[in-house]
Amino acid sequence: MTHARSTPEQFAKARAAMVKTVADEVLWTNRYLGKTALDPRVAAAFAAVPREQFVSAELAEFAYENRPLPIGQGQTISQPYIVAVMTDLLHPEARHRVLEVGTGCGYQAAVLARLVAQVYTIETVGELAKDAAARLKRMGIDNVAVRHGDGRMGWPQHAPYDGIIVTAAAREVPPALIQQLAVGGRLAIPLGEPGGDQELVVIRKEADGTLDRRSVLPVAFVPLVKGG
Ligand code: SAH
């Protein structure tokens, strides 16, 4: 493990180790995922984002452990494995426009920003939205638009989206998000009870408008709340 004042080289080494840990976990969980490895583009994007810059200085030394970490306001940055898997489930392409619900610290958005043309992300906690926007700007990431609001309504102005990712758990898929999903697009969302059983679900909108729904993995997410 690295210590509190890790150098950029130590962080880079720890990041490479995390990438390997996640690749191993993808392999072990291949029966759930239906694949033994991440899309190479996704793996490369994931390997390139400095996760230590998305947590407080006190937690930076833990940034490359494969677990969620607190980001303030009672919220968490998701476990790296989950970020990688959810990103992969969207089948991101360079021309895509993606909506994220639950910006948190902006880490997932930063990973997506390397893979698609434009990311729109909504966060219900004003302070987190403000901090994430400032952090992404500081890092020179200019294809992520952050908004403070209730992501359950989506972001209709920029719809339809080729991918929608919800990083907080809901009992049901918010209907606005289905509406704002493009034909051929994919929506990844944890569904289930707050603090209880949840499953990561991926929904694809077919050409005839029908929804193809697949349950991927058991997961544990903070709840998608009303507000914004
Ligand atoms: N993707 C984030 C992890 C987010 S944790 C990251 O990479 O760090 C889930 C986030 O969803 C929390 O920040 C929480 O405040 C937010 N959230 C919960 N309900 C929401 C809603 N209705 N609209 C938008 N954001 C919401």
Short mmCIF file of all heavy atoms in Angstrom, two decimals, residues 96-156:
data_model
loop_
_atom_site.label_atom_id
_atom_site.label_comp_id
_atom_site.label_asym_id
_atom_site.label_seq_id
_atom_site.Cartn_x
_atom_site.Cartn_y
_atom_site.Cartn_z
N HIS A 96 -20.70 8.54 -29.33
CA HIS A 96 -21.84 8.51 -28.42
C HIS A 96 -21.98 9.74 -27.53
O HIS A 96 -21.00 10.40 -27.18
CB HIS A 96 -21.74 7.29 -27.50
CG HIS A 96 -22.18 6.02 -28.15
ND1 HIS A 96 -22.12 4.80 -27.52
CD2 HIS A 96 -22.71 5.77 -29.38
CE1 HIS A 96 -22.57 3.86 -28.34
NE2 HIS A 96 -22.93 4.42 -29.47
N ARG A 97 -23.22 9.98 -27.14
CA ARG A 97 -23.55 10.98 -26.12
C ARG A 97 -24.21 10.22 -24.98
O ARG A 97 -25.15 9.46 -25.19
CB ARG A 97 -24.47 12.04 -26.70
CG ARG A 97 -23.73 12.84 -27.80
CD ARG A 97 -24.64 13.51 -28.78
NE ARG A 97 -25.47 14.49 -28.13
CZ ARG A 97 -26.75 14.30 -27.80
NH1 ARG A 97 -27.35 13.19 -28.11
NH2 ARG A 97 -27.41 15.26 -27.21
N VAL A 98 -23.67 10.40 -23.78
CA VAL A 98 -24.10 9.58 -22.64
C VAL A 98 -24.60 10.46 -21.50
O VAL A 98 -24.03 11.52 -21.22
CB VAL A 98 -22.91 8.70 -22.16
CG1 VAL A 98 -23.22 8.03 -20.82
CG2 VAL A 98 -22.57 7.64 -23.21
N LEU A 99 -25.66 10.00 -20.86
CA LEU A 99 -26.19 10.67 -19.67
C LEU A 99 -25.85 9.84 -18.43
O LEU A 99 -26.08 8.63 -18.42
CB LEU A 99 -27.72 10.79 -19.79
CG LEU A 99 -28.44 11.35 -18.55
CD1 LEU A 99 -28.12 12.82 -18.35
CD2 LEU A 99 -29.95 11.15 -18.66
N GLU A 100 -25.31 10.52 -17.42
CA GLU A 100 -25.09 9.86 -16.14
C GLU A 100 -26.00 10.49 -15.08
O GLU A 100 -26.09 11.71 -14.99
CB GLU A 100 -23.63 10.02 -15.67
CG GLU A 100 -23.40 9.35 -14.31
CD GLU A 100 -22.05 9.67 -13.67
OE1 GLU A 100 -21.53 10.78 -13.89
OE2 GLU A 100 -21.53 8.82 -12.94
N VAL A 101 -26.64 9.66 -14.29
CA VAL A 101 -27.43 10.15 -13.15
C VAL A 101 -26.66 9.78 -11.88
O VAL A 101 -26.42 8.60 -11.63
CB VAL A 101 -28.84 9.53 -13.14
CG1 VAL A 101 -29.60 9.95 -11.88
CG2 VAL A 101 -29.60 9.94 -14.40
N GLY A 102 -26.24 10.79 -11.11
CA GLY A 102 -25.44 10.55 -9.90
C GLY A 102 -23.97 10.83 -10.16
O GLY A 102 -23.14 9.94 -10.20
N THR A 103 -23.65 12.11 -10.32
CA THR A 103 -22.27 12.53 -10.63
C THR A 103 -21.29 12.17 -9.53
O THR A 103 -20.15 11.78 -9.81
CB THR A 103 -22.22 14.07 -10.80
OG1 THR A 103 -23.30 14.49 -11.63
CG2 THR A 103 -20.89 14.54 -11.37
N GLY A 104 -21.74 12.32 -8.27
CA GLY A 104 -20.84 12.09 -7.14
C GLY A 104 -19.61 12.96 -7.27
O GLY A 104 -19.70 14.18 -7.44
N CYS A 105 -18.46 12.34 -7.26
CA CYS A 105 -17.21 13.11 -7.37
C CYS A 105 -16.78 13.31 -8.82
O CYS A 105 -15.79 14.00 -9.09
CB CYS A 105 -16.11 12.39 -6.60
SG CYS A 105 -15.74 10.76 -7.27
N GLY A 106 -17.46 12.68 -9.76
CA GLY A 106 -17.15 12.87 -11.18
C GLY A 106 -16.24 11.81 -11.78
O GLY A 106 -15.88 11.90 -12.96
N TYR A 107 -15.89 10.80 -10.99
CA TYR A 107 -14.94 9.78 -11.49
C TYR A 107 -15.51 8.98 -12.66
O TYR A 107 -14.86 8.85 -13.72
CB TYR A 107 -14.53 8.85 -10.34
CG TYR A 107 -13.64 7.71 -10.77
CD1 TYR A 107 -12.33 7.95 -11.19
CD2 TYR A 107 -14.10 6.40 -10.79
CE1 TYR A 107 -11.51 6.90 -11.60
CE2 TYR A 107 -13.28 5.35 -11.19
CZ TYR A 107 -11.99 5.61 -11.59
OH TYR A 107 -11.19 4.58 -12.00
N GLN A 108 -16.71 8.46 -12.48
CA GLN A 108 -17.33 7.69 -13.56
C GLN A 108 -17.47 8.55 -14.82
O GLN A 108 -17.21 8.09 -15.94
CB GLN A 108 -18.71 7.19 -13.09
CG GLN A 108 -19.57 6.55 -14.16
CD GLN A 108 -19.12 5.17 -14.57
OE1 GLN A 108 -19.26 4.20 -13.83
NE2 GLN A 108 -18.56 5.06 -15.77
N ALA A 109 -17.84 9.80 -14.65
CA ALA A 109 -17.98 10.72 -15.79
C ALA A 109 -16.63 10.90 -16.49
O ALA A 109 -16.56 10.96 -17.72
CB ALA A 109 -18.53 12.07 -15.31
N ALA A 110 -15.56 10.97 -15.70
CA ALA A 110 -14.22 11.17 -16.29
C ALA A 110 -13.79 9.94 -17.10
O ALA A 110 -13.15 10.07 -18.15
CB ALA A 110 -13.21 11.46 -15.19
N VAL A 111 -14.16 8.76 -16.63
CA VAL A 111 -13.84 7.54 -17.39
C VAL A 111 -14.63 7.55 -18.71
O VAL A 111 -14.07 7.33 -19.79
CB VAL A 111 -14.17 6.26 -16.57
CG1 VAL A 111 -14.01 5.01 -17.42
CG2 VAL A 111 -13.27 6.18 -15.32
N LEU A 112 -15.91 7.87 -18.61
CA LEU A 112 -16.74 7.92 -19.83
C LEU A 112 -16.26 8.98 -20.80
O LEU A 112 -16.31 8.79 -22.02
CB LEU A 112 -18.20 8.20 -19.44
CG LEU A 112 -18.97 7.01 -18.87
CD1 LEU A 112 -20.27 7.48 -18.23
CD2 LEU A 112 -19.26 5.98 -19.97
N ALA A 113 -15.78 10.09 -20.26
CA ALA A 113 -15.35 11.22 -21.10
C ALA A 113 -14.22 10.81 -22.06
O ALA A 113 -14.05 11.42 -23.11
CB ALA A 113 -14.92 12.39 -20.22
N ARG A 114 -13.46 9.80 -21.67
CA ARG A 114 -12.36 9.34 -22.54
C ARG A 114 -12.86 8.44 -23.67
O ARG A 114 -12.11 8.11 -24.59
CB ARG A 114 -11.32 8.56 -21.72
CG ARG A 114 -10.67 9.39 -20.63
CD ARG A 114 -9.53 8.62 -19.99
NE ARG A 114 -8.40 8.52 -20.90
CZ ARG A 114 -7.38 9.37 -20.94
NH1 ARG A 114 -7.36 10.41 -20.12
NH2 ARG A 114 -6.39 9.20 -21.79
N LEU A 115 -14.11 8.00 -23.55
CA LEU A 115 -14.63 6.98 -24.47
C LEU A 115 -15.67 7.49 -25.44
O LEU A 115 -15.89 6.89 -26.49
CB LEU A 115 -15.26 5.84 -23.64
CG LEU A 115 -14.27 5.02 -22.83
CD1 LEU A 115 -14.98 4.26 -21.72
CD2 LEU A 115 -13.54 4.05 -23.77
N VAL A 116 -16.37 8.55 -25.05
CA VAL A 116 -17.48 9.04 -25.87
C VAL A 116 -17.30 10.53 -26.18
O VAL A 116 -16.43 11.18 -25.60
CB VAL A 116 -18.85 8.79 -25.17
CG1 VAL A 116 -19.04 7.31 -24.86
CG2 VAL A 116 -19.01 9.64 -23.91
N ALA A 117 -18.17 11.03 -27.08
CA ALA A 117 -18.03 12.43 -27.50
C ALA A 117 -18.43 13.39 -26.40
O ALA A 117 -17.75 14.40 -26.16
CB ALA A 117 -18.88 12.67 -28.74
N GLN A 118 -19.53 13.08 -25.72
CA GLN A 118 -20.04 14.03 -24.73
C GLN A 118 -20.75 13.30 -23.60
O GLN A 118 -21.52 12.37 -23.86
CB GLN A 118 -21.02 15.00 -25.42
CG GLN A 118 -21.65 16.04 -24.51
CD GLN A 118 -20.65 17.09 -23.99
OE1 GLN A 118 -19.80 17.57 -24.75
NE2 GLN A 118 -20.75 17.44 -22.72
N VAL A 119 -20.47 13.74 -22.39
CA VAL A 119 -21.14 13.20 -21.21
C VAL A 119 -21.96 14.32 -20.56
O VAL A 119 -21.47 15.43 -20.39
CB VAL A 119 -20.11 12.68 -20.17
CG1 VAL A 119 -20.81 12.12 -18.93
CG2 VAL A 119 -19.19 11.62 -20.79
N TYR A 120 -23.21 14.00 -20.23
CA TYR A 120 -24.06 14.90 -19.46
C TYR A 120 -24.29 14.21 -18.13
O TYR A 120 -24.65 13.03 -18.11
CB TYR A 120 -25.40 15.12 -20.17
CG TYR A 120 -25.24 15.77 -21.52
CD1 TYR A 120 -25.13 15.00 -22.67
CD2 TYR A 120 -25.16 17.16 -21.63
CE1 TYR A 120 -24.96 15.59 -23.91
CE2 TYR A 120 -24.99 17.77 -22.87
CZ TYR A 120 -24.89 16.98 -24.00
OH TYR A 120 -24.71 17.57 -25.23
N THR A 121 -24.06 14.90 -17.03
CA THR A 121 -24.20 14.23 -15.74
C THR A 121 -24.95 15.11 -14.75
O THR A 121 -24.75 16.33 -14.71
CB THR A 121 -22.82 13.76 -15.20
OG1 THR A 121 -23.02 13.07 -13.96
CG2 THR A 121 -21.83 14.89 -15.00
N ILE A 122 -25.85 14.48 -14.01
CA ILE A 122 -26.72 15.21 -13.08
C ILE A 122 -26.51 14.70 -11.65
O ILE A 122 -26.46 13.49 -11.44
CB ILE A 122 -28.22 15.01 -13.43
CG1 ILE A 122 -28.46 15.31 -14.90
CG2 ILE A 122 -29.11 15.88 -12.56
CD1 ILE A 122 -29.90 15.14 -15.32
N GLU A 123 -26.43 15.64 -10.73
CA GLU A 123 -26.23 15.29 -9.32
C GLU A 123 -27.21 16.07 -8.46
O GLU A 123 -27.36 17.28 -8.64
CB GLU A 123 -24.78 15.62 -8.92
CG GLU A 123 -24.45 15.56 -7.45
CD GLU A 123 -24.75 14.22 -6.79
OE1 GLU A 123 -24.28 13.18 -7.28
OE2 GLU A 123 -25.47 14.22 -5.78
N THR A 124 -27.83 15.38 -7.53
CA THR A 124 -28.86 16.03 -6.72
C THR A 124 -28.29 16.82 -5.53
O THR A 124 -28.96 17.71 -5.01
CB THR A 124 -29.89 14.97 -6.25
OG1 THR A 124 -31.01 15.66 -5.72
CG2 THR A 124 -29.34 14.05 -5.20
N VAL A 125 -27.09 16.48 -5.09
CA VAL A 125 -26.46 17.25 -3.99
C VAL A 125 -25.65 18.40 -4.61
O VAL A 125 -24.64 18.15 -5.29
CB VAL A 125 -25.56 16.35 -3.11
CG1 VAL A 125 -24.88 17.16 -2.02
CG2 VAL A 125 -26.36 15.19 -2.52
N GLY A 126 -26.11 19.63 -4.36
CA GLY A 126 -25.51 20.80 -4.99
C GLY A 126 -24.01 20.91 -4.80
O GLY A 126 -23.26 21.21 -5.74
N GLU A 127 -23.58 20.63 -3.56
CA GLU A 127 -22.16 20.75 -3.23
C GLU A 127 -21.32 19.77 -4.05
O GLU A 127 -20.24 20.12 -4.55
CB GLU A 127 -22.00 20.45 -1.72
CG GLU A 127 -20.70 20.88 -1.13
CD GLU A 127 -20.56 22.39 -1.02
OE1 GLU A 127 -21.56 23.12 -1.23
OE2 GLU A 127 -19.46 22.84 -0.75
N LEU A 128 -21.82 18.55 -4.20
CA LEU A 128 -21.08 17.54 -4.99
C LEU A 128 -21.03 17.94 -6.46
O LEU A 128 -20.00 17.80 -7.12
CB LEU A 128 -21.72 16.15 -4.83
CG LEU A 128 -21.58 15.47 -3.47
CD1 LEU A 128 -22.39 14.16 -3.45
CD2 LEU A 128 -20.12 15.19 -3.13
N ALA A 129 -22.15 18.44 -6.97
CA ALA A 129 -22.20 18.86 -8.38
C ALA A 129 -21.18 19.97 -8.64
O ALA A 129 -20.42 19.93 -9.62
CB ALA A 129 -23.61 19.34 -8.74
N LYS A 130 -21.14 20.91 -7.72
CA LYS A 130 -20.22 22.06 -7.85
C LYS A 130 -18.76 21.58 -7.80
O LYS A 130 -17.94 21.96 -8.64
CB LYS A 130 -20.51 23.03 -6.70
CG LYS A 130 -19.95 24.41 -6.90
CD LYS A 130 -20.50 25.34 -5.84
CE LYS A 130 -19.47 25.51 -4.82
NZ LYS A 130 -19.36 25.50 -3.53
N ASP A 131 -18.46 20.73 -6.83
CA ASP A 131 -17.09 20.23 -6.69
C ASP A 131 -16.67 19.39 -7.88
O ASP A 131 -15.54 19.49 -8.36
CB ASP A 131 -16.94 19.39 -5.41
CG ASP A 131 -16.99 20.25 -4.15
OD1 ASP A 131 -17.02 21.49 -4.28
OD2 ASP A 131 -17.00 19.67 -3.05
N ALA A 132 -17.58 18.55 -8.35
CA ALA A 132 -17.24 17.67 -9.49
C ALA A 132 -16.97 18.51 -10.74
O ALA A 132 -16.00 18.27 -11.46
CB ALA A 132 -18.37 16.67 -9.74
N ALA A 133 -17.81 19.53 -10.96
CA ALA A 133 -17.63 20.39 -12.14
C ALA A 133 -16.28 21.09 -12.07
O ALA A 133 -15.53 21.14 -13.06
CB ALA A 133 -18.77 21.41 -12.23
N ALA A 134 -15.93 21.59 -10.88
CA ALA A 134 -14.65 22.29 -10.71
C ALA A 134 -13.48 21.34 -10.90
O ALA A 134 -12.48 21.67 -11.54
CB ALA A 134 -14.59 22.93 -9.32
N ARG A 135 -13.63 20.14 -10.36
CA ARG A 135 -12.55 19.14 -10.47
C ARG A 135 -12.32 18.75 -11.94
O ARG A 135 -11.18 18.71 -12.41
CB ARG A 135 -12.94 17.90 -9.67
CG ARG A 135 -11.96 16.75 -9.78
CD ARG A 135 -12.40 15.56 -8.95
NE ARG A 135 -12.26 15.81 -7.53
CZ ARG A 135 -13.26 15.83 -6.65
NH1 ARG A 135 -14.51 15.59 -7.04
NH2 ARG A 135 -13.04 16.06 -5.39
N LEU A 136 -13.39 18.49 -12.66
CA LEU A 136 -13.26 18.06 -14.07
C LEU A 136 -12.63 19.19 -14.89
O LEU A 136 -11.79 18.95 -15.76
CB LEU A 136 -14.63 17.65 -14.62
CG LEU A 136 -15.21 16.38 -13.98
CD1 LEU A 136 -16.69 16.24 -14.28
CD2 LEU A 136 -14.46 15.13 -14.44
N LYS A 137 -13.03 20.41 -14.59
CA LYS A 137 -12.47 21.57 -15.30
C LYS A 137 -10.98 21.68 -15.03
O LYS A 137 -10.17 21.85 -15.96
CB LYS A 137 -13.21 22.84 -14.85
CG LYS A 137 -12.85 24.04 -15.65
CD LYS A 137 -13.82 25.17 -15.47
CE LYS A 137 -13.39 26.31 -16.39
NZ LYS A 137 -13.37 27.58 -15.69
N ARG A 138 -10.62 21.57 -13.77
CA ARG A 138 -9.22 21.65 -13.35
C ARG A 138 -8.38 20.58 -14.05
O ARG A 138 -7.21 20.78 -14.37
CB ARG A 138 -9.18 21.43 -11.84
CG ARG A 138 -7.94 21.86 -11.13
CD ARG A 138 -8.18 21.96 -9.61
NE ARG A 138 -8.50 20.68 -9.00
CZ ARG A 138 -9.57 20.46 -8.23
NH1 ARG A 138 -10.42 21.43 -7.98
NH2 ARG A 138 -9.79 19.28 -7.70
N MET A 139 -8.99 19.43 -14.28
CA MET A 139 -8.27 18.32 -14.92
C MET A 139 -8.26 18.46 -16.44
O MET A 139 -7.72 17.59 -17.13
CB MET A 139 -8.91 16.99 -14.51
CG MET A 139 -8.75 16.68 -13.03
SD MET A 139 -9.58 15.15 -12.53
CE MET A 139 -8.47 13.93 -13.22
N GLY A 140 -8.89 19.51 -16.94
CA GLY A 140 -8.88 19.75 -18.38
C GLY A 140 -9.84 18.85 -19.15
O GLY A 140 -9.72 18.68 -20.36
N ILE A 141 -10.82 18.29 -18.45
CA ILE A 141 -11.83 17.44 -19.10
C ILE A 141 -12.98 18.34 -19.54
O ILE A 141 -13.69 18.90 -18.71
CB ILE A 141 -12.30 16.33 -18.13
CG1 ILE A 141 -11.11 15.45 -17.75
CG2 ILE A 141 -13.43 15.50 -18.75
CD1 ILE A 141 -11.39 14.46 -16.63
N ASP A 142 -13.11 18.53 -20.86
CA ASP A 142 -14.04 19.56 -21.32
C ASP A 142 -15.27 19.00 -22.04
O ASP A 142 -16.05 19.76 -22.60
CB ASP A 142 -13.30 20.56 -22.22
CG ASP A 142 -12.68 19.89 -23.44
OD1 ASP A 142 -12.93 18.68 -23.64
OD2 ASP A 142 -11.95 20.56 -24.19
N ASN A 143 -15.44 17.68 -22.02
CA ASN A 143 -16.63 17.12 -22.67
C ASN A 143 -17.59 16.49 -21.67
O ASN A 143 -18.31 15.53 -21.97
CB ASN A 143 -16.23 16.11 -23.76
CG ASN A 143 -15.42 14.94 -23.22
OD1 ASN A 143 -14.79 15.04 -22.16
ND2 ASN A 143 -15.44 13.82 -23.94
N VAL A 144 -17.61 17.07 -20.46
CA VAL A 144 -18.59 16.65 -19.46
C VAL A 144 -19.35 17.89 -19.01
O VAL A 144 -18.74 18.87 -18.58
CB VAL A 144 -17.92 16.00 -18.22
CG1 VAL A 144 -18.96 15.63 -17.18
CG2 VAL A 144 -17.09 14.78 -18.61
N ALA A 145 -20.67 17.85 -19.13
CA ALA A 145 -21.50 18.94 -18.62
C ALA A 145 -22.16 18.44 -17.34
O ALA A 145 -22.79 17.38 -17.33
CB ALA A 145 -22.56 19.32 -19.66
N VAL A 146 -21.98 19.21 -16.26
CA VAL A 146 -22.52 18.81 -14.95
C VAL A 146 -23.71 19.71 -14.62
O VAL A 146 -23.64 20.93 -14.80
CB VAL A 146 -21.46 18.97 -13.83
CG1 VAL A 146 -22.01 18.49 -12.49
CG2 VAL A 146 -20.17 18.23 -14.18
N ARG A 147 -24.78 19.10 -14.13
CA ARG A 147 -25.94 19.88 -13.72
C ARG A 147 -26.42 19.45 -12.34
O ARG A 147 -26.39 18.26 -12.02
CB ARG A 147 -27.07 19.66 -14.72
CG ARG A 147 -28.13 20.73 -14.67
CD ARG A 147 -29.20 20.46 -15.70
NE ARG A 147 -30.32 19.82 -15.06
CZ ARG A 147 -31.44 19.51 -15.67
NH1 ARG A 147 -31.58 19.73 -16.98
NH2 ARG A 147 -32.43 18.96 -15.02
N HIS A 148 -26.84 20.41 -11.55
CA HIS A 148 -27.45 20.12 -10.26
C HIS A 148 -28.94 19.92 -10.47
O HIS A 148 -29.62 20.81 -10.97
CB HIS A 148 -27.19 21.30 -9.29
CG HIS A 148 -27.91 21.18 -8.00
ND1 HIS A 148 -28.39 22.25 -7.30
CD2 HIS A 148 -28.23 20.07 -7.27
CE1 HIS A 148 -28.97 21.83 -6.20
NE2 HIS A 148 -28.89 20.51 -6.16
N GLY A 149 -29.46 18.76 -10.13
CA GLY A 149 -30.89 18.54 -10.31
C GLY A 149 -31.28 17.11 -9.98
O GLY A 149 -30.46 16.34 -9.47
N ASP A 150 -32.53 16.79 -10.28
CA ASP A 150 -33.05 15.45 -10.03
C ASP A 150 -32.91 14.62 -11.30
O ASP A 150 -33.66 14.80 -12.25
CB ASP A 150 -34.51 15.53 -9.58
CG ASP A 150 -35.05 14.16 -9.17
OD1 ASP A 150 -34.37 13.14 -9.43
OD2 ASP A 150 -36.14 14.12 -8.59
N GLY A 151 -31.97 13.71 -11.27
CA GLY A 151 -31.67 12.90 -12.45
C GLY A 151 -32.77 11.92 -12.83
O GLY A 151 -32.73 11.35 -13.93
N ARG A 152 -33.73 11.72 -11.95
CA ARG A 152 -34.83 10.79 -12.30
C ARG A 152 -35.64 11.34 -13.47
O ARG A 152 -36.36 10.60 -14.12
CB ARG A 152 -35.74 10.56 -11.08
CG ARG A 152 -34.98 9.87 -9.92
CD ARG A 152 -35.85 9.80 -8.69
NE ARG A 152 -36.43 11.11 -8.49
CZ ARG A 152 -37.60 11.33 -7.90
NH1 ARG A 152 -38.30 10.35 -7.44
NH2 ARG A 152 -38.05 12.56 -7.77
N MET A 153 -35.52 12.66 -13.69
CA MET A 153 -36.23 13.27 -14.83
C MET A 153 -35.36 13.27 -16.08
O MET A 153 -35.78 13.75 -17.13
CB MET A 153 -36.58 14.74 -14.50
CG MET A 153 -37.32 14.92 -13.20
SD MET A 153 -38.79 13.88 -13.18
CE MET A 153 -39.07 13.75 -11.43
N GLY A 154 -34.13 12.81 -15.95
CA GLY A 154 -33.21 12.85 -17.08
C GLY A 154 -32.79 14.28 -17.37
O GLY A 154 -32.84 15.15 -16.50
N TRP A 155 -32.36 14.49 -18.62
CA TRP A 155 -31.95 15.83 -19.07
C TRP A 155 -32.49 15.94 -20.50
O TRP A 155 -31.78 15.66 -21.46
CB TRP A 155 -30.43 15.93 -19.01
CG TRP A 155 -29.84 17.30 -19.19
CD1 TRP A 155 -30.38 18.37 -19.83
CD2 TRP A 155 -28.55 17.72 -18.72
NE1 TRP A 155 -29.52 19.43 -19.76
CE2 TRP A 155 -28.39 19.07 -19.10
CE3 TRP A 155 -27.51 17.09 -18.01
CZ2 TRP A 155 -27.23 19.79 -18.80
CZ3 TRP A 155 -26.37 17.81 -17.73
CH2 TRP A 155 -26.22 19.15 -18.12
N PRO A 156 -33.81 16.30 -20.59
CA PRO A 156 -34.51 16.19 -21.88
C PRO A 156 -33.89 17.00 -23.01
O PRO A 156 -33.94 16.58 -24.17
CB PRO A 156 -35.93 16.70 -21.57
CG PRO A 156 -36.02 16.91 -20.11
CD PRO A 156 -34.65 16.79 -19.50
#
